[in-house]
Amino acid sequence: TRRSSDLAHLEEERDMKITDIIVLFQAAARGFIARRAFQRRQQQTGALKVMQRNCAAYLKLRHWQWWRLFTKVKPLLQVTRQDEVMQTKVVELQKVKESHQKTEMDLKEMEGKYQTDRK
């Protein structure tokens, strides 16, 4: 009887300790999740402020004559840049073709030497 009451008391203490541990773990998990959600909301708030600031700047700029000129000229600049890139690619292709032709000529020359040495 004394042993059974001691055993019951120990089991009760163990249950209380396990309950405390589970409660602490749940609190830590909830805190972690809440901090992550708060961080996400902070990022969204910052992004929203940046978007609002950019929209306000655009609304101020869109009627400005220099901005209109810039938006019309910018695509033309990209076309020029594409032409420059295309020219460099053409030059590069020409160099590769010349290198290929030289290699083919060297190969034919060596094949000719090999044929004459075999005879």
Side-chain angles (χ1 to χ4, degrees), residues 18-117:
I18 289 174
T19 302
D20 288 345
I21 290 171
I22 290 173
V23 166
L24 286 173
F25 177 74
Q26 285 176 337
R30 284 190 191 112
F32 175 77
I33 291 170
R35 281 188 295 279
R36 183 183 277 174
F38 177 75
Q39 217 172 21
R40 191 176 304 125
R41 279 195 306 274
Q42 291 292 95
Q43 283 180 330
Q44 287 175 346
T45 302
L48 190 60
K49 286 180 181 178
V50 168
M51 288 172 61
Q52 286 174 342
R53 191 170 48 234
N54 287 346
C55 285
Y58 172 73
L59 291 175
K60 288 178 186 174
L61 271 180
R62 69 179 176 173
H63 296 298
W64 192 35
Q65 294 300 321
W66 283 107
W67 177 253
R68 286 186 177 178
L69 177 66
F70 175 74
T71 55
K72 289 204 186 330
V73 169
K74 188 175 179 185
L76 300 175
L77 295 175
Q78 290 175 351
V79 168
T80 308
R81 195 170 302 131
Q82 288 173 350
D83 288 345
E84 290 172 1
V85 169
M86 193 67 155
Q87 287 297 328
T88 57
K89 293 294 180 188
V90 166
V91 169
E92 191 177 324
L93 179 63
Q94 187 63 35
K95 287 180 182 177
V96 169
K97 282 182 179 178
E98 289 171 4
S99 172
H100 179 67
Q101 285 176 349
K102 184 179 182 292
T103 306
E104 277 187 349
M105 289 180 69
D106 290 346
L107 179 64
K108 285 181 183 177
E109 183 182 317
M110 287 193 181
E111 283 177 349
K113 284 182 182 178
Y114 177 74
Q115 292 297 332
T116 56
D117 287 347

